[in-house]
Amino acid sequence: MARYIGRRLLYMIVTLFVIVVLTFVLMKILPGSPFDTERFEKLTPEQQAAALERYGLDKPIPVQFLRYLGNTLRGDLGTSFYYTNIPVTRVIFSRLGPSMLVGAQAILVGLAIGLSLGIVAACRHNGFVDNFTMVIAVLGISVPNFVVAALLQYYVGLKLGWLPIGFWKTWSCSVLPSLALCFQPLATAARFIRTETLDVLQQDYIVTARSKGMSQARLLLKHTLRNSIIPVITIMASMVVNLLTGSLAIESIFSIPGIGGLFTESVKNNDYNVIMGLTMFYSLFYMLTILLADVTYSLVDPRIRVAGEKEGE
Amino acid sequence: MQEKITQDMFVPVRSDAHKQEYIARKHHSAFHDGWIRLRKNKAAVVCAVLIVVITVMSIIVPYTSPYAYYETDYKHKMNAPSSEHIFGTDLFGRDQWTRVWYGTRISLLIGLAAALINLVIGVFYGAISAIAGGKVDAVMQRIIEVLVGIPSLIIVILFMMVLPPGVGTIVAAMAVTGWVNMARLVRAQILKLKNQEFVLAAQLLGTSRWKTILRHLIPNTISVIVIQVMFAIPSAIFTEAFLSFIGVGLAEPKASLGVLINNGYKALRSAPFLLIYPAIAIVLIMVCFSIVGDGLRDAFDPRMKR
Amino acid sequence: MKKTLCAVLLAVVLLTGCLGAYAEGDNVFHVYADRVFRTFNQVIGSDSHLFEVLGAISEGLLRLDENHNPQPALAESFTISEDGLVYTFILRDGLVWSNGAPLTAKDFEFSWIEAISDSENNGYADVIAPFLKNGVAFMNGEIEASEVGVKALDEKTFEVTLANPCAFFDRFITLPVLFPLNEEFYKAQGDLFATSADTILCCGPFIATSLDLSVGATMVKNEAYWDADSVKLDGIDFKVITDSSAALNAYEAGELDRVNLSSIDVLNFMGDPEFGTYSDFRNYYIQYDVSNPKMNLNIRKALNYAVDRETLCDAILMTGAVPAGGVVSQGIHGNDTQTFREAAGDFSYYDPDLAKQYWDAGVAELGYTPELTMLTAEGTDFNDMAVFIQDCYRKVLGIEVTIDSMTQKARNEKMKTENYDFALSAWGADYDDAMTWLELWTSESGYRGYHIDPEYNAMVEAARAEVDPEARLQIMINTEKKLIEEDCVVTGLYDRGFSFLQRSYVEGYITHPVGQPSEFKYVVLNK
């Protein structure tokens, strides 16, 4: 296993390099310059050229890339254009915390409720809980989270006054945004675990276990969950990354200084260094999560041997 | 008068191998079998009919309605639902009834495209990756990581710059990464399945690799595929809405359900009906798809046979 | 597993430790901005919400009163030389920065030179430099700072020499970019300047207690301020709220004392005693590509006259926006008795018959009916405007115009590098004079419709050089008339408006149509 993980980490560097190269090139093809458009257009062509030169933006893309790569390897990710002259690491880290807290809470709550609902639904197939779960699952994916957020803010925050309607002052401010975000992981977890558990419950070995008089709880935990959790792990891996890296709409509605808006903002404003910084952060995060998921597969289900293992032996 | 029992009175019963195996019931293919099971599922049938009705309505209504989807009337803006405007009117006095059906058409189109992308690219990519294993799997998974790693918004904006604005461009842009989750799901399921006995049995019996994938492995992942498609449809519909929101999506006066919900959300306080009807439409579509999807799975998943 | 989870959660909580510090108490004024701040550094910032914060924590030589007239601020008085070129400002006694350092004329000299020396980061360098003697030459790096017409004669005397006489210079210098800077402090902070409340110096009615680009700013009253007696507030809480419905919710929850309404919410509040509207000097217009053979003069004129601006403002925007008679906003200063627009009259207006006439003539000239595409950028205002204009052309001219909506960068790139038909655009005044718009169309770039006209450029130059205010006004009126009515290079649509709700206990909140958009200094809460 250690060798496998070691090799995966090595792959990761290569993959990251490919991502960085491709993103850099595509990003440079994006229309426009990173400067405030309205003001930049007003400058004379000479002034515009001087501005581009000052940031090395007049050089050919390969030259710009090598320079960027050199700086990055030295640990310098450059400064933001949009947030004038503020270092990229500072821009990203100042907004990472709120997104992560809100996202983590949403995932934990969503997973806990979703998994329990899904398992109970599968055990009581076609019963009340089952139907209820299906309704929640369908609503959870077909009602967009910004609508949920707006409703929560208006009714729970404003009309009932139970929780703050937004801003980032105390922990209670993170409750409504987390709630608004938790429906998607909840719905996903519930649906996948329900279907898979239904499948597993019909397998012979479950019938055997049951006929031997195994208690329902033990049966579920020992024999069923291990076999049914694979798709949940797979889909959660990318969902975790998406939720922890924030949601533009939710952050905007609840006025949370998060990272979700930053990504969209940086692409729309050609904030090159921030785009690159975020891309590297996001990709690394994603790849590590996928690795974790792949490792988890073989932990929960020993029959699975992940790709690389075989050829190594 | 007793007759003598002679030898020639007896004829040996020959066992006819063919007759023994004869099945009186009509032969059904696996597909036909599933079809029969699907027809028995009342809820699924009702929902399938509903989908057809919605689709037909979304095509007909924009043509038959007395108002065009782009027709403005500034004297009747933001009117609540009435007999004249069943779903009310928006800020420009445009008839929401027409616009919701028009939007349904576009959203169905986008949802369908997303489903196809997932089914065609995602399922096969995942299956091949899992079955090939080793280096091929490693490379294919790295490609997925690269695709996910590059910010999709950059890709979308570049697509919009090169291609003319419209549904086709949006679908093309979504096709780049829209299938990734499906591929990973199918891969994980097949990794789980591929070392199980029935696959080994099939291989021992000389089943070709492709046939193993198509006939044995993919049918066993069908429940995961169905659910993922169910998730992919609304996610595509809302991705499209998000693109419109940041100014690179569908151009006005065209509308999709996602765009209508987006605009309706802004009017939540002053004209909630602008949000409610498109939201109901999308939930209805999703409920129908989900039930039909579950029905399909119950009918065609080999493990669900009872 | 559980331990890891706890560790992760703990780390997350630690990361979020930087929760915003908010000004608390009854006598604190709560306002918001609908965008994040890009910087709090006055040298490189050009956003209007930054100007509001700077106007509260800092101050210029003069400050605008409720009628937008300049009043003495850090300068006690000033004199203008006979030829109108030399302004001499005398600072007040005992001015201090929030760290106790004395505030002197040197601080103005430094900030004014800084303001015109860094042209690519500083959006206002090219606006300010032409006013000052040798300003442009210095901005282009041709001469030394000492030759620029900006001098601290002694601790208290600040002398400015202009390139040309300028009737509105006293109003112009209330721009926050021209507030003083303490050179020693500014240089000591380097890139960190104004990134937090500790790295900025205040000299205005309030002192910043927290500054965060994406959370907002909080301020408390500055007891050392020269006019502290007039400041009645204990503090200001200036949040960032980007979602307009969220802002309205915050207002109703009592977290804001004033909120701007989006068009769609206006109908609900129109009769409300807390409801109000005002407009500012930001003009929305149609830019035609005059080099495009499809867009001949008649076609352009048809597109101009076919837009029903009254309905656009009253029925769609509903934010107090006013129909524009040209690109120069309605309230822009003209002479002592009239605004520019009153003196000039309307050059762009709605006339469906005229529009149809020009359209037919244009089509006849082309020999075919052109297919037109309207370029527009993202944003609710542009989107609503595009839908409305498309509808006008459908109803008046019977044509179906395609809307091509994209990100702002993409739209601008397309305008700059390719031919297009026409595009929706906007420009906000930098100062209270028609020149802030008229000079734009001398650039000859695609962004200005590839408008190349030496005669027009000569007229703008003539207006710049003209000393007599009345003659200058006349030249500028003729310039705009040529640009809009005769050549139809652009078509004015409307001046931006705002509809808002404000608590009845709020008094003394002043809005200005240009520069610093609002003034907190005189706000009183009669709770």
Side-chain angles (χ1 to χ4, degrees):
Chain A
M1 187 53 94
R3 262 181 77 181
Y4 170 68
I5 294 179
R7 191 166 44 232
R8 279 290 294 268
L9 290 175
L10 206 69
Y11 283 156
M12 215 176 274
I13 297 172
V14 180
T15 317
L16 187 66
F17 183 76
V18 176
I19 293 175
V20 166
V21 174
L22 286 177
T23 308
F24 196 87
V25 172
L26 289 175
M27 169 182 90
K28 292 289 175 177
I29 310 175
L30 279 178
S33 74
F35 304 106
D36 180 346
T37 322
E38 235 184 35
R39 295 282 156 193
F40 190 69
E41 288 307 324
K42 237 185 133 236
L43 301 178
T44 61
E46 298 81 52
Q47 287 171 325
Q48 294 188 2
L52 291 174
E53 194 190 334
R54 167 184 252 228
Y55 291 95
L57 297 171
D58 55 334
K59 302 271 184 320
I61 291 178
V63 176
Q64 290 185 36
F65 178 73
L66 288 180
R67 182 181 290 178
Y68 180 80
L69 200 65
N71 288 338
T72 305
L73 290 179
R74 260 179 275 120
D76 175 15
L77 291 179
T79 56
S80 167
F81 288 96
Y82 186 77
Y83 296 102
T84 323
N85 293 347
I86 297 182
V88 168
T89 37
R90 196 188 154 113
V91 171
I92 293 179
F93 280 106
S94 71
R95 295 174 71 165
L96 204 54
S99 291
M100 287 222 152
L101 179 65
V102 170
Q105 290 180 162
I107 289 169
L108 289 183
V109 173
L111 265 188
I113 301 180
L115 288 182
S116 344
L117 271 182
I119 293 172
V120 175
C123 296
R124 305 259 185 284
H125 190 35
N126 289 331
F128 170 75
V129 178
D130 193 16
N131 293 331
F132 175 75
T133 306
M134 289 308 286
V135 170
I136 292 283
V138 172
L139 286 180
I141 56 164
S142 54
V143 177
N145 57 22
F146 61 87
V147 173
V148 178
L151 293 174
L152 282 175
Q153 184 180 55
Y154 189 71
Y155 288 104
V156 181
L158 182 58
K159 292 290 163 197
L160 297 173
W162 289 349
L163 286 163
I165 58 163
F167 314 115
W168 199 244
K169 293 185 233 177
T170 55
W171 175 79
S172 57
C173 296
S174 71
V175 175
L176 286 184
S178 294
L179 271 182
L181 275 176
C182 83
F183 284 94
Q184 203 199 356
L186 192 159
T188 316
R191 276 215 76 167
F192 276 109
I193 202 76
R194 170 185 171 271
T195 320
E196 286 299 300
T197 309
L198 271 181
D199 278 357
V200 174
L201 283 178
Q202 285 167 11
Q203 306 277 332
D204 299 337
Y205 61 86
I206 299 289
V207 183
T208 314
R210 206 172 252 157
S211 59
K212 288 201 301 193
M214 190 179 259
S215 77
Q216 182 81 358
R218 211 172 129 78
L219 184 86
L220 281 174
L221 283 177
K222 250 198 109 103
H223 295 280
T224 320
L225 198 56
R226 266 176 171 243
N227 281 298
S228 56
I229 197 105
I230 295 284
V232 180
I233 295 173
T234 314
I235 210 75
M236 277 303 148
S238 47
M239 198 169 282
V240 163
V241 179
N242 282 333
L243 284 177
L244 291 188
T245 49
S247 151
L248 169 67
I250 300 296
E251 285 165 14
S252 170
I253 290 171
F254 290 107
S255 304
I256 299 169
I259 209 168
L262 193 63
F263 219 142
T264 318
E265 211 173 66
S266 64
V267 173
K268 274 170 64 178
N269 293 302
N270 291 15
D271 199 344
Y272 297 140
N273 291 335
V274 176
I275 298 179
M276 292 310 294
L278 280 175
T279 302
M280 281 193 280
F281 172 75
Y282 177 86
S283 309
L284 265 182
F285 193 14
Y286 180 77
M287 289 189 288
L288 283 172
T289 320
I290 298 286
L291 174 59
L292 195 68
D294 280 351
V295 172
T296 322
Y297 290 157
S298 39
L299 288 184
V300 294
D301 191 341
R303 286 172 303 181
I304 297 183
R305 289 191 297 171
V306 249
E309 257 181 320
K310 227 186 290 180
E311 44 164 20
E313 258 76 62
Chain B
M1 310 281 134
Q2 251 188 345
E3 253 182 274
K4 196 161 187 262
I5 297 163
T6 57
Q7 185 86 43
D8 56 292
M9 290 176 79
F10 293 90
V11 179
V13 179
R14 302 240 175 257
S15 69
D16 182 342
H18 286 279
K19 269 195 182 157
Q20 265 184 347
E21 295 294 309
Y22 176 73
I23 298 168
R25 219 172 128 198
K26 230 173 89 195
H27 175 71
H28 291 160
S29 67
F31 178 77
H32 194 176
D33 242 16
W35 177 240
I36 290 171
R37 278 194 293 270
L38 184 62
R39 272 195 318 207
K40 280 193 193 140
N41 186 338
K42 292 250 164 48
V45 172
V46 171
C47 287
V49 171
L50 256 176
I51 291 177
V52 174
V53 171
I54 290 175
T55 313
V56 171
M57 285 284 275
S58 75
I59 296 168
I60 293 177
V61 170
Y63 290 113
T64 54
S65 159
Y67 310 96
Y69 67 89
Y70 52 78
E71 195 179 312
T72 58
D73 179 358
Y74 304 115
K75 290 194 182 66
H76 295 102
K77 57 179 180 143
M78 312 260 284
N79 278 6
S82 63
S83 57
E84 209 152 304
H85 299 283
I86 303 171
F87 286 177
T89 59
D90 69 0
L91 182 63
F92 294 88
R94 296 179 290 197
D95 181 49
Q96 279 296 295
W97 167 257
T98 319
R99 284 178 72 74
V100 166
W101 284 113
Y102 184 84
T104 305
R105 185 201 305 178
I106 295 206
S107 288
L108 277 177
L109 207 66
I110 286 168
L112 195 74
L116 274 180
I117 290 166
N118 268 277
L119 284 176
V120 175
I121 310 181
V123 170
F124 282 96
Y125 194 99
I128 293 168
S129 178
I131 288 170
K135 289 205 171 88
V136 179
D137 181 50
V139 171
M140 285 177 91
Q141 290 311 303
R142 300 297 87 74
I143 292 178
I144 285 193
E145 284 168 8
V146 169
L147 283 177
V148 173
I150 300 171
S152 53
L153 193 55
I154 294 185
I155 299 173
V156 173
I157 292 179
L158 290 177
F159 264 83
M160 294 292 167
M161 288 297 286
V162 181
L163 301 172
V167 180
T169 311
I170 294 170
V171 169
M174 287 194 304
V176 179
T177 52
W179 48 270
V180 165
N181 274 339
M182 175 67 95
R184 292 192 50 245
L185 268 173
V186 169
R187 169 176 174 269
Q189 277 304 86
I190 290 187
L191 279 182
K192 187 176 104 178
L193 293 170
K194 79 174 193 182
N195 293 326
Q196 290 188 5
E197 292 78 2
F198 71 94
V199 181
L200 189 67
Q203 278 166 348
L204 276 175
L205 290 170
T207 318
S208 75
R209 213 167 205 204
W210 272 107
K211 213 168 169 189
T212 321
I213 301 179
L214 281 173
R215 297 293 289 272
H216 298 283
L217 290 171
I218 290 183
N220 274 294
T221 55
I222 200 157
S223 46
V224 171
I225 295 177
V226 165
I227 302 177
Q228 181 53 24
V229 168
M230 289 304 115
F231 283 109
I233 293 173
S235 128
I237 290 174
F238 292 125
T239 304
E240 182 272 322
F242 173 72
L243 295 183
S244 301
F245 179 67
I246 59 164
V248 293
L250 213 58
E252 287 272 11
K254 294 200 180 73
S256 65
L257 285 182
V259 172
L260 289 175
I261 289 178
N262 237 337
N263 293 340
Y265 150 72
K266 287 182 212 145
L268 185 58
R269 191 183 283 265
S270 47
F273 53 89
L274 288 180
L275 174 64
I276 291 169
Y277 293 110
I280 290 178
I282 205 160
V283 170
L284 189 67
I285 291 173
M286 284 319 300
V287 169
C288 289
F289 271 123
S290 294
I291 294 176
V292 171
D294 275 356
L296 283 175
R297 186 209 55 190
D298 288 346
F300 291 101
D301 190 335
R303 284 175 300 175
M304 300 298 277
K305 284 183 189 168
R306 270 165 225 149
Chain C
M1 189 69 177
K2 267 183 196 153
K3 268 184 196 162
T4 354
L5 270 181
C6 290
V8 169
L9 270 185
L10 193 70
V12 167
V13 171
L14 286 179
L15 269 172
T16 53
C18 48
L19 296 171
Y22 286 79
E24 298 291 345
D26 235 14
N27 195 22
V28 170
F29 190 46
H30 297 273
V31 280
Y32 77 106
D34 61 1
R35 286 168 293 163
V36 294
F37 290 91
R38 298 182 51 179
T39 177
F40 286 107
N41 183 347
Q42 68 182 58
V43 180
I44 50 186
S46 61
D47 291 331
S48 56
H49 54 314
L50 171 65
F51 288 178
E52 292 182 321
V53 171
L54 290 175
I57 63 173
S58 189
E59 187 159 56
L61 293 163
L62 308 172
R63 189 182 274 272
L64 295 179
D65 66 11
E66 55 193 326
N67 300 316
H68 321 310
N69 289 323
Q71 300 299 339
L74 293 186
E76 195 171 42
S77 63
F78 65 98
T79 51
I80 311 171
S81 66
E82 282 288 308
D83 56 4
L85 285 176
V86 182
Y87 282 64
T88 311
F89 298 91
I90 309 294
L91 300 191
R92 286 178 196 278
D93 285 324
L95 295 177
V96 285
W97 289 102
S98 51
N99 67 350
L103 194 159
T104 67
K106 271 275 169 218
D107 298 332
F108 277 99
E109 183 187 309
F110 175 70
S111 87
W112 285 43
I113 294 293
E114 242 350 89
I116 58 170
S117 60
D118 200 15
S119 66
E120 56 279 355
N121 271 337
N122 172 6
Y124 271 99
D126 61 304
V127 175
I128 297 164
F131 285 95
L132 306 175
K133 184 186 156 204
N134 292 335
V136 177
F138 171 72
M139 184 176 75
N140 294 339
E142 290 154 15
I143 54 165
E144 291 296 310
S146 56
E147 291 177 60
V148 180
V150 174
K151 285 276 165 313
L153 298 183
D154 59 47
E155 293 270 292
K156 282 181 59 187
T157 317
F158 181 55
E159 185 190 88
V160 180
T161 313
L162 304 190
N164 293 309
C166 172
F168 56 90
F169 190 68
D170 53 350
R171 267 171 289 143
F172 176 67
I173 60 169
T174 57
L175 205 62
V177 183
L178 299 176
F179 289 177
L181 277 178
N182 183 308
E183 180 173 1
E184 195 189 337
F185 186 83
Y186 185 76
K187 291 199 166 147
Q189 298 300 330
D191 275 348
L192 287 176
F193 179 75
T195 49
S196 69
D198 302 330
T199 53
I200 195 169
L201 286 187
C202 307
C203 63
F206 301 92
I207 293 176
T209 48
S210 79
L211 294 177
D212 187 311
L213 296 173
S214 42
V215 173
T218 55
M219 305 156 230
V220 294
K221 184 177 172 182
N222 181 4
E223 296 298 345
Y225 179 57
W226 66 269
D227 195 18
D229 291 345
S230 319
V231 180
K232 303 292 184 224
L233 289 175
D234 289 343
I236 297 170
D237 175 16
F238 198 111
K239 297 184 178 88
V240 171
I241 307 179
T242 51
D243 186 90
S244 61
S245 319
L248 185 52
N249 285 341
Y251 179 80
E252 297 205 328
E255 303 245 12
L256 290 178
D257 291 321
R258 187 183 160 97
V259 66
N260 284 338
L261 294 174
S262 60
S263 301
I264 210 137
D265 285 323
V266 168
L267 282 179
N268 274 10
F269 294 98
M270 256 177 175
D272 201 299
E274 296 179 346
F275 177 79
T277 64
Y278 67 101
S279 67
D280 74 353
F281 295 163
R282 186 174 175 85
N283 182 279
Y284 284 71
Y285 58 85
I286 299 176
Q287 174 68 58
Y288 306 103
D289 178 354
V290 293
S291 71
N292 188 337
K294 247 196 312 194
M295 302 298 295
N296 66 40
L297 183 59
N298 285 322
I299 298 278
R300 301 201 297 267
K301 284 188 172 175
L303 297 179
N304 172 17
Y305 291 119
V307 182
D308 181 0
R309 295 157 176 86
E310 298 278 339
T311 308
L312 175 62
C313 292
D314 296 344
I316 302 304
L317 300 168
M318 296 183 287
T319 50
V322 284
V327 282
V328 178
S329 284
Q330 292 286 358
I332 285 285
H333 187 75
N335 54 27
D336 291 338
T337 52
Q338 283 177 305
T339 64
F340 180 89
R341 185 55 56 209
E342 281 164 358
D346 284 355
F347 298 132
S348 45
Y349 47 88
Y350 178 51
D351 188 336
D353 299 327
L354 212 53
K356 193 75 192 134
Q357 237 168 299
Y358 278 118
W359 179 257
D360 292 339
V363 169
E365 193 180 323
L366 280 176
Y368 62 92
T369 309
E371 297 263 317
L372 299 179
T373 302
M374 167 164 43
L375 292 185
T376 169
E378 83 267 36
T380 314
D381 45 356
F382 274 114
N383 190 57
D384 290 354
M385 192 167 47
V387 174
F388 181 81
I389 290 171
Q390 183 190 42
D391 190 52
C392 282
Y393 292 159
R394 190 184 292 123
K395 282 177 175 160
V396 176
L397 304 175
I399 56 168
E400 192 65 41
V401 171
T402 311
I403 297 178
D404 190 0
S405 165
M406 45 191 127
T407 64
Q408 206 160 27
K409 296 269 178 194
R411 196 268 320 250
N412 292 342
E413 186 73 4
K414 201 157 187 171
M415 288 175 78
K416 236 171 74 175
T417 54
E418 291 170 39
N419 272 351
Y420 56 96
D421 299 340
F422 62 103
L424 301 183
S425 196
W427 183 258
D430 290 322
Y431 43 87
D432 185 4
D433 188 75
M435 190 54 86
T436 188
W437 281 280
L438 298 179
E439 65 177 8
L440 297 177
W441 281 273
T442 59
S443 79
E444 308 189 345
S445 75
Y447 200 56
R448 307 293 170 206
Y450 300 99
H451 170 243
I452 300 169
D453 184 355
E455 201 189 322
Y456 179 85
N457 298 354
M459 288 169 89
V460 170
E461 276 315 308
R464 277 210 181 107
E466 181 58 59
V467 182
D468 177 48
E470 206 50 54
R472 181 170 175 276
L473 177 64
Q474 206 48 53
I475 299 175
M476 289 199 296
I477 290 175
N478 290 338
T479 314
E480 201 204 14
K481 187 181 169 78
K482 178 172 166 52
L483 182 74
I484 291 170
E485 196 172 60
E486 291 165 17
D487 296 345
C488 204
V489 178
V490 282
T491 281
L493 295 171
Y494 67 89
D495 297 332
R496 174 172 68 175
F498 296 95
S499 47
F500 62 87
L501 297 176
Q502 178 177 296
R503 300 245 183 259
S504 49
Y505 55 70
V506 177
E507 257 176 53
Y509 183 91
I510 301 170
T511 58
H512 300 303
V514 63
Q516 180 190 328
S518 63
E519 182 67 77
F520 303 131
K521 178 182 167 183
Y522 306 105
V523 170
V524 182
L525 304 179
N526 298 315
K527 284 190 188 172

